[in-house]
Amino acid sequence: MDFKSYIAEAISKVTNIDKKEIKSYVEIPKDETNGDFAFPCFRLAKELKQAPVNIANNIKDNIEIDSNIISKVDVVNGFLNFYIANECLAKETIQKFDAQKEDYGKSNIGEGKTVIVEYSSPNIAKPFHIGHLKTTIIGNSLYKLYKFLGYNTIGINHLGDYGTQFAKLIEGYKRWGNEYDFSTDPIDKLADIYKRINALCEDDEKVLEECRETFKKFEDGDPYCIELWNKFKELSLIEFNKIYDLLGVKFDSYKGEASYANQRQEIVSILEKTGKVTESQGAKIVDLEDVGISTPCIIQKANGASIYATRDLAAIMYRAKTYDYDKCLYVVGEEQSLYLKQVFAVAKYLGLDEKYTNGLEHVSYGMIRLPEGKMSSRKGNFFKVQDLLDEAISKSKEIIQDRDIEDKDLVAKQVGVGAVIFEDLAESRTKNQVFDLKEALNFNGETGPYIQYMTVRTNSVIEKAGYIPSSNSLNLSKITDRSSIKLLKLIDNFENILLDAMHKNEPSIISRYLIDVAQAFSTFYNENKILSEDKEEQDVRIYITYMTKIVLTNGLHLLGIEVPKKM
Ligand code: ARG
């Protein structure tokens, strides 16, 4: 049952104010002692020309409400506080849960709609940095969430595999490639070559000119250049895939920038026909002043070369045609905000159906860095995300070392990686973050391992009981304690949480919710003997534990975190 609607309807009858408006004001009080739902009467003060307290008293006196649904209504400081009847809450929640069981929370609201999630998108021959880790983790979670809600979901890794730097790398590789053993840390070595050739270019104008010519050849599809570029790409992907494997991240497509490079003329000519293109110092630009963006978007350099924006525009055309998407999300750092605004604005001139350009959305995230001095990059060597993951895994292994666990390596991996993932999703994505591994691995903190631990505990309770009672045999009047009610309310709210997280593209809504559920379960577990002498009491408690297990497991899955068998 939608309690909010029920309450809104009853208030609407007394006040004659539209139910929808009322419903939008109904809130869930932070402090439980203020009831399960609250209505702030000051919201109606202007409309009804009365003081909030009077409005509250008037509603309280005249409201018609079924006491089997709402057991109590209180007036506190101009608020109306509503208390849901325990049995009703339990019945509603269990019925809803029982219809889905292991699939609890899944829905088909996305049926018939397609969402593209573009995420990760590292640059070939350059290190996969901590910012790339963040887009990978956020994007993976959104990908799973949309799928869970029934959308046709496409995950794209828009690889940064194009640009003048590859010409330099080719020139460098020609000179010093045979000095390196690429079977280990290939990206470090490519980065080293890149540094050397850059230094040489600075000293020697002739070398720079050679690089320019090589880029021209590369653009024209010279086989030797393409062969080397493929090699760089292959070496880089070996390293990226190691990280993706550890994180359990998959993509439906790795179509990167290079595949759009030869559409530059097509894009430029479409845009020229709109009359929006002007020239500036030999480059072609689209002025965006009239749509409120003061910096124009460059679509072609003075030397005629394709650039980042043109390749993104070509990608939009391709995605519209290939996937007929309803939404296309770009999980990209906030530093590219202006850039993406420009691209989305220029996309409106490509002659695409409005559906496609309206569906473009930047899912931005804040800066992320490591604490001062920690694992900082050694000179000439970049900080590696792989090292961070390895460190998380080995620290987890230390923690579980003395526990009675069969496959410690597997569990250490699940816990270490889970800790890193959760830490990246713990707070609102737009916040800047200092990544603290020690904090992330605190088994008693608001962390991934804490939630994993509570999930494992739900499992062991059920295992110990040896059965899950059937939901229609439960005696719901046995649910009387506050911690059970709190858990039920949270479980009841799972669906809303998922929808909210999807509408805001904000996985942290799920992660914070899971902390609440895990903490509520911990209290429930400490305050109640689950395996009790009273069989009816035991049955309801086991069932609540079972529902908690599914909510935690499904929630963790949506963040991209695995549940260990034991911890
Ligand atoms: N490769 C870029 C980088 O690492 C991110 C790509 C973002 N996506 C896009 N469609 N431009 O900075």
Side-chain angles (χ1 to χ4, degrees), residues 107-117 142-154 326-327 498-499 502-503:
S107 100
N108 52 11
I109 59 155
E111 212 173 275
K113 295 207 187 79
T114 295
V115 174
I116 292 176
V117 186
L142 293 176
Y143 179 81
K144 293 200 145 94
L145 178 59
Y146 278 95
K147 260 210 161 140
F148 201 65
L149 297 177
Y151 289 84
N152 174 33
T153 313
I154 318 283
D326 295 274
K327 255 200 233 187
L498 298 187
L499 291 178
M502 178 198 75
H503 288 308

Side-chain angles (χ1 to χ4, degrees), residues 176-349:
W176 312 297
N178 55 10
E179 292 173 22
Y180 295 85
D181 166 15
F182 290 98
S183 64
T184 58
D185 300 325
I187 293 180
D188 277 358
K189 285 158 193 167
L190 292 174
D192 199 51
I193 294 182
Y194 187 61
K195 228 171 63 190
R196 283 172 76 180
I197 189 75
N198 253 333
L200 193 60
C201 282
E202 263 171 43
D203 286 348
D204 191 342
E205 182 67 27
K206 252 192 16 239
V207 180
L208 187 63
E209 194 43 50
E210 269 173 57
C211 289
R212 287 200 187 107
E213 275 160 27
T214 301
F215 185 64
K216 190 99 203 29
K217 277 200 217 151
F218 172 52
E219 271 205 313
D220 295 339
D222 172 76
Y224 178 68
C225 290
I226 300 293
E227 186 194 315
L228 280 188
W229 170 79
N230 266 324
K231 189 183 170 91
F232 302 151
K233 192 162 155 171
E234 223 168 82
L235 288 171
S236 307
L237 276 172
I238 291 174
E239 233 173 279
F240 298 157
N241 280 331
K242 273 193 204 146
I243 295 170
Y244 296 145
D245 282 349
L246 263 182
L247 294 172
V249 170
K250 290 201 175 68
F251 301 91
D252 299 303
S253 158
Y254 281 84
K255 195 170 164 69
E257 290 184 38
S259 66
Y260 301 109
N262 59 11
Q263 264 133 280
R264 63 186 185 279
Q265 242 114 43
E266 188 189 333
I267 299 288
V268 171
S269 82
I270 294 175
L271 292 172
E272 277 180 329
K273 284 194 195 108
T274 66
K276 297 279 180 192
V277 178
T278 50
E279 285 208 7
S280 168
Q281 295 162 352
K284 295 194 174 174
I285 61 169
V286 177
D287 191 280
L288 297 167
E289 197 105 45
D290 54 337
V291 293
I293 301 170
S294 53
T295 341
C297 182
I298 305 175
I299 54 164
Q300 188 181 298
K301 281 194 208 162
N303 64 7
S306 122
I307 59 172
Y308 192 37
T310 337
R311 297 190 288 275
D312 257 322
L313 291 164
I316 292 171
M317 298 208 29
Y318 172 84
R319 291 172 185 177
K321 203 172 80 204
T322 311
Y323 301 111
D324 181 26
Y325 64 79
D326 295 274
K327 255 200 233 187
C328 179
L329 306 177
Y330 292 71
V331 186
V332 180
E334 68 179 0
E335 65 281 359
Q336 295 194 38
S337 266
L338 171 64
Y339 166 73
L340 286 173
K341 261 198 198 120
Q342 293 175 319
V343 168
F344 295 170
V346 177
K348 291 205 187 295
Y349 304 135

Side-chain angles (χ1 to χ4, degrees), residues 376-389:
S376 63
S377 52
R378 273 168 289 146
K379 211 169 177 305
N381 199 349
F382 295 94
F383 160 77
K384 286 216 215 68
V385 165
Q386 182 75 46
D387 292 346
L388 174 73
L389 291 168

